[in-house]
Amino acid sequence: APLRHGTLPLGEQRPQILRPVKMFYRRFPRSVSEYSYRARQYRSVAAASRATRAASTGDSETHFGFRQVPREEKESLVGGVFSRVASSYDLMNDLMSFGLHRYWKREFVSMLRPQQGIHHLDVAGGTGDIALAIRAFAEIGAKRGRSAQKNRIVVCDINANMLEEGKKRPESAPSPHTDMEWLQGNAEQIPFDDNSFDSYTVAFGIRNVTNIDKALAEAHRVLRPGGRFLCLEFSKVDNPLLSTLYDVYSFNVIPVMGQVRQVLASSFCRNTEGMIHL
């Protein structure tokens, strides 16, 4: 028979030693359920609000986290968030993901398998962790004397502060094997000719684009025939238990991290909301 809230299927004769377990079992699910219910309620209200606003405004608004904003304002709102967190962005990624984001990005780059001589565009590249990993991967052949071709790797991001932080990283020092460019630009209006790149990546950035279809069309335009497009992004958690734990973490732990680092908690909540929205 299925478990009822606050009960354990241990029979009528229960050892006294299990009493603390029973007490913990009664309390813990109640608090987790409360958090999960609150998160589900937040999602459903936000979804209903988006649907109502979309019906009344047509295509004039888009999502920014859990709220709708005019399309022309989203770019500046996203820019404001990343300008505030640029100096601590990499550290906060480590804290919020417990370092897992580094593993995800390594796997992402290994799927691309960049070769020496690659012409690559990393959009929403931020502080350059994906682009620099691609450079390191591609330069392996050059360092072993397999190829004399130079790589061309462009980090494109709409936020100048994030790019400046990337340029300060030790691994971004000039390399004789790669021409590295740091470009402030919009994913919807990439300032390059058609068929300019062998590959295009966007990691944890597509959700911040106002017109995703337009950004994808631009990616297709600048890629050469046979070029590769790779997108790394958050998804929804299907497992009910993991989904509940994820809600508790997203709505209660991440904002506190933002406050501890003396950064506006709403900035990190906004990033979390964007993850959940997708």
Side-chain angles (χ1 to χ4, degrees), residues 64 67 69-70 73-82 84:
F64 180 60
R67 64 188 176 96
V69 297
E73 292 182 11
K74 180 171 179 176
E75 183 178 319
S76 62
L77 291 170
V78 171
V81 168
F82 284 98
R84 289 192 293 272

Side-chain angles (χ1 to χ4, degrees), residues 82 86 89-90 93 101-102 105 108-109 120-137 153-157 159-173 180-183 201 203:
F82 284 98
Y89 181 76
D90 292 324
N93 275 342
H101 76 103
R102 297 180 182 274
K105 291 169 181 175
F108 183 60
V109 172
H120 179 79
L121 175 62
D122 182 36
V123 173
T127 57
D129 45 0
I130 293 291
L132 291 169
I134 289 172
R135 184 179 85 167
F137 200 114
I153 298 179
V154 179
V155 185
C156 179
D157 197 279
N159 190 280
N161 292 359
M162 294 287 284
L163 294 170
E164 288 302 317
E165 290 297 322
K167 292 176 185 178
K168 297 175 186 176
R169 298 173 68 151
E171 59 268 41
S172 68
M180 194 89 177
E181 301 174 39
W182 301 81
L183 174 71
T201 52

Side-chain angles (χ1 to χ4, degrees), residues 184-260:
Q184 185 176 4
N186 191 327
E188 299 172 25
Q189 297 176 329
I190 299 174
F192 292 105
D193 295 334
D194 298 359
N195 307 324
S196 295
F197 296 96
D198 303 310
S199 52
Y200 174 119
T201 52
V202 54
F204 304 121
I206 200 75
R207 64 177 178 266
N208 295 321
V209 176
T210 304
N211 299 291
I212 293 177
D213 289 344
K214 191 173 180 181
L216 294 176
E218 279 290 273
H220 183 268
R221 181 184 65 80
V222 299
L223 279 171
R224 294 169 177 168
R228 300 187 64 191
F229 171 90
L230 276 76
C231 177
L232 176 63
E233 192 52 89
F234 287 97
S235 181
K236 292 182 179 179
V237 182
D238 294 326
N239 183 290
L241 176 59
L242 292 178
S243 179
T244 298
L245 295 174
Y246 182 72
D247 287 340
V248 173
Y249 180 71
S250 299
F251 287 95
N252 296 275
V253 179
I254 289 179
V256 172
M257 289 182 180
Q259 291 174 333
V260 169

Side-chain angles (χ1 to χ4, degrees), residues 143-157:
K143 291 175 180 176
R144 292 176 179 174
R146 294 177 182 171
S147 174
Q149 288 184 299
K150 258 196 168 186
N151 304 308
R152 182 194 182 195
I153 298 179
V154 179
V155 185
C156 179
D157 197 279

